[in-house]
């Protein structure tokens, strides 16, 4: 019961074939700390031992989700900051850190530990950084359910369970990234304008407007429009239009009997050769090869 101190944790076995999957789960658990409660509750092995006064350094990543109460977090790369319910903390291997709940509020904490090349690659590409380990994603029932499902499957230890729960961790990371990105664009004006721009591009894929013309139609300065569009979508307006052009080409190749020259004309390419070059660069095969494979 949550009005009492409670905790549950598991440390998981990992085989060589699990390691080859690219990501493995090392530990999963929760602890519910009531007001004035002791923290932490759990007794960990030496490599996980943790005291808020001294902090610790792990040799793995952990996602720590605070779903009730409040407290503080600090690390080598992040100065002490306030943590409230709905906050996800990403801990990094080799990085000193400390966190603890307020005595007055306590907190509810879920965690999962993991390691592998799939998360290393995302960190190398700066999707997640030590300087920004805090993500406010709100209270998400779906994320809480992922923690509960990982714990349940880990307890059963059925054959292949590591592949299942480690993939759920990747799902969780994707949810954190998505929710954080979405919340960072809380300005409805920006979201509305980007949505309008994408709709214009989709509606006019066979008679495309230039990015400058789109900005003008939306009553925006081109530089602001291009910068904001790329910040929101991750690609420039021109790249988004090219993707829509490719999607339309695939649709015409698989749902019509139009020849390559006719499709090139519809999509405003100068000739069939230019269309084929564009398509192969994007898709890795020629339009004819794509049609043969998908008919």
């Amino acid at each position: 019961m949550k009005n009492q101190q409670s905790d549950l944790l598991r440390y998981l076995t990992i085989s060589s074939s699990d390691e080859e999957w690219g990501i493995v789960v090392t530990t999963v658990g929760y602890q519910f700390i009531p007001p004035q409660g002791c923290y932490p509750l759990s007794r960990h092995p030496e490599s996980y031992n943790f005291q808020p006064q001294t902090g610790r350094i792990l040799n793995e990543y952990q996602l720590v989700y605070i779903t009730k109460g409040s407290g503080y977090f600090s690390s080598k790369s992040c100065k002490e900051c306030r943590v409230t319910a709905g906050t996800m903390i990403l801990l990094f291997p080799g990085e000193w850190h400390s966190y603890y709940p307020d005595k007055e509020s306590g907190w509810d904490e879920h965690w999962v530990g993991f390691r592998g090349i799939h998360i290393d690659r995302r960190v190398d590409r700066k999707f997640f950084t030590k300087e920004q380990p805090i993500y406010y994603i709100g209270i998400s029932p779906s994320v809480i359910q992922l923690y509960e499902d990982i714990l349940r499957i880990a307890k059963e230890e059925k054959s292949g369970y590591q592949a299942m729960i480690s993939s759920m961790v990747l799902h969780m990371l994707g949810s954190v990234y998505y929710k954080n990105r979405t919340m960072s664009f809380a300005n409805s004006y920006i979201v509305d304008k980007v949505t309008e721009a994408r709709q214009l591009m989709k509606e006019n894929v066979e008679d495309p407007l230039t990015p400058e013309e789109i900005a003008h139609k939306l009553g925006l300065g081109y530089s602001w429009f291009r910068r904001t569009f790329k910040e929101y979508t991750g690609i420039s307006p021109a790249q988004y239009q090219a993707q829509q052009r490719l999607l339309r080409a695939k649709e015409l190749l698989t749902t019509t009997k139009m020849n390559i020259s006719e499709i090139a004309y519809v999509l405003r390419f100068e000739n069939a050769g230019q269309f084929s070059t564009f398509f192969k660069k994007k898709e890795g095969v020629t339009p004819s090869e794509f049609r043969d494979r998908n008919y």
Side-chain angles (χ1 to χ4, degrees), residues 1-7 31-35 41 107-108:
M1 294 177 62
K2 289 194 177 185
N3 61 347
Q4 299 175 341
Q5 297 194 159
S6 59
D7 69 329
Q31 49 186 339
F32 302 141
I33 312 297
L41 295 176
W107 70 19
D108 289 0

Side-chain angles (χ1 to χ4, degrees), residues 32-48:
F32 302 141
I33 312 297
Q36 308 305 321
C38 296
Y39 185 80
L41 295 176
S42 303
R43 296 185 63 185
H44 301 277
E46 185 175 346
S47 60
Y48 289 89

Side-chain angles (χ1 to χ4, degrees), residues 77-97:
S77 303
C78 177
K79 65 181 181 180
E80 186 172 79
C81 58
R82 185 82 171 152
V83 171
T84 58
T87 299
M88 183 74 79
I89 305 169
L90 177 57
L91 308 178
F92 291 79
E95 176 85 348
W96 177 90
H97 62 267

Side-chain angles (χ1 to χ4, degrees), residues 59-164:
N59 61 0
E60 64 187 35
Y61 299 91
Q62 284 194 10
L63 276 172
V64 181
Y65 191 27
I66 307 304
T67 57
K68 182 180 179 181
S70 60
Y72 294 89
F73 169 84
S74 60
S75 69
K76 180 180 178 181
S77 303
C78 177
K79 65 181 181 180
E80 186 172 79
C81 58
R82 185 82 171 152
V83 171
T84 58
T87 299
M88 183 74 79
I89 305 169
L90 177 57
L91 308 178
F92 291 79
E95 176 85 348
W96 177 90
H97 62 267
S98 180
Y99 52 91
Y100 56 93
D102 285 322
K103 276 289 186 181
E104 294 74 18
S105 68
W107 70 19
D108 289 0
E109 166 191 334
H110 293 75
W111 76 83
V112 61
F114 51 97
R115 66 172 189 265
I117 58 174
H118 288 319
I119 177 61
D120 289 340
R121 185 176 298 119
R122 286 160 174 79
V123 172
D124 289 342
R125 300 295 189 275
K126 306 297 183 183
F127 287 103
F128 303 99
T129 67
K130 296 176 182 178
E131 292 74 23
Q132 294 180 306
I134 301 295
Y135 303 87
Y136 183 78
I137 65 171
I139 304 300
S140 171
S142 62
V143 172
I144 294 172
Q145 188 64 54
L146 284 170
Y147 278 103
E148 294 176 352
D149 288 345
I150 291 170
L151 185 57
R152 173 181 54 80
I153 294 169
K155 288 168 66 177
E156 295 171 353
E157 286 191 307
K158 292 181 178 180
S159 180
Y161 83 99
Q162 270 284 354
M164 182 68 170

Side-chain angles (χ1 to χ4, degrees), residues 8-295:
L8 178 67
L9 69 158
R10 293 189 70 85
Y11 297 97
L12 311 183
T13 57
I14 299 168
S15 70
S16 57
S17 62
D18 292 333
E19 298 278 8
E20 292 174 1
W21 186 255
I23 181 171
V24 294
V25 177
T26 55
T27 178
V28 61
Y30 63 78
Q31 49 186 339
F32 302 141
I33 312 297
Q36 308 305 321
C38 296
Y39 185 80
L41 295 176
S42 303
R43 296 185 63 185
H44 301 277
E46 185 175 346
S47 60
Y48 289 89
N49 191 35
F50 177 54
Q51 291 298 324
Q53 298 87 344
T54 57
R56 67 177 173 184
I57 297 175
L58 295 172
N59 61 0
E60 64 187 35
Y61 299 91
Q62 284 194 10
L63 276 172
V64 181
Y65 191 27
I66 307 304
T67 57
K68 182 180 179 181
S70 60
Y72 294 89
F73 169 84
S74 60
S75 69
K76 180 180 178 181
S77 303
C78 177
K79 65 181 181 180
E80 186 172 79
C81 58
R82 185 82 171 152
V83 171
T84 58
T87 299
M88 183 74 79
I89 305 169
L90 177 57
L91 308 178
F92 291 79
E95 176 85 348
W96 177 90
H97 62 267
S98 180
Y99 52 91
Y100 56 93
D102 285 322
K103 276 289 186 181
E104 294 74 18
S105 68
W107 70 19
D108 289 0
E109 166 191 334
H110 293 75
W111 76 83
V112 61
F114 51 97
R115 66 172 189 265
I117 58 174
H118 288 319
I119 177 61
D120 289 340
R121 185 176 298 119
R122 286 160 174 79
V123 172
D124 289 342
R125 300 295 189 275
K126 306 297 183 183
F127 287 103
F128 303 99
T129 67
K130 296 176 182 178
E131 292 74 23
Q132 294 180 306
I134 301 295
Y135 303 87
Y136 183 78
I137 65 171
I139 304 300
S140 171
S142 62
V143 172
I144 294 172
Q145 188 64 54
L146 284 170
Y147 278 103
E148 294 176 352
D149 288 345
I150 291 170
L151 185 57
R152 173 181 54 80
I153 294 169
K155 288 168 66 177
E156 295 171 353
E157 286 191 307
K158 292 181 178 180
S159 180
Y161 83 99
Q162 270 284 354
M164 182 68 170
I165 62 176
S166 60
S167 296
M168 293 166 73
V169 169
L170 288 176
H171 182 179
M172 194 180 295
L173 285 166
S175 295
V176 171
Y177 183 78
Y178 166 76
K179 290 176 183 295
N180 184 69
R181 287 279 298 175
T182 300
M183 288 185 175
S184 69
F185 286 94
N187 186 324
S188 60
Y189 178 80
I190 291 176
V191 176
D192 289 347
K193 289 301 182 183
V194 171
T195 300
E196 289 179 49
R198 288 190 292 194
Q199 190 60 35
L200 279 172
M201 294 176 192
K202 291 175 182 178
E203 291 174 352
N204 294 280
V205 67
E206 294 181 8
D207 189 16
L209 302 167
T210 67
E212 290 85 353
E213 289 172 330
I214 293 171
H216 180 72
K217 277 183 171 288
L218 297 177
L220 305 172
Y222 172 66
S223 296
W224 184 92
F225 165 65
R226 186 183 187 282
R227 182 180 68 254
T228 303
F229 188 96
K230 187 170 184 178
E231 287 175 356
Y232 187 84
T233 65
I235 58 177
S236 69
Q239 290 171 320
Y240 188 86
Q241 286 181 298
Q243 289 185 2
Q244 296 306 308
R245 211 177 188 190
L246 178 65
L247 291 173
R248 181 60 177 152
K250 290 180 178 180
E251 182 182 350
L252 294 173
L253 286 167
T254 55
T255 62
T256 75
K257 294 188 179 298
M258 296 170 64
N259 62 40
I260 303 303
S261 294
E262 289 171 328
I263 294 174
Y265 176 78
V266 166
L267 295 178
R268 298 295 190 268
F269 287 93
E270 291 184 6
N271 51 55
Q274 187 190 55
F275 169 53
S276 294
T277 299
F278 164 84
F279 193 93
K280 186 171 184 178
K281 182 178 179 181
K282 298 289 186 182
E283 198 65 21
V285 295
T286 67
S288 296
E289 291 169 337
F290 181 86
R291 170 172 272 173
D292 292 341
R293 292 179 183 181
N294 289 277
Y295 252 139

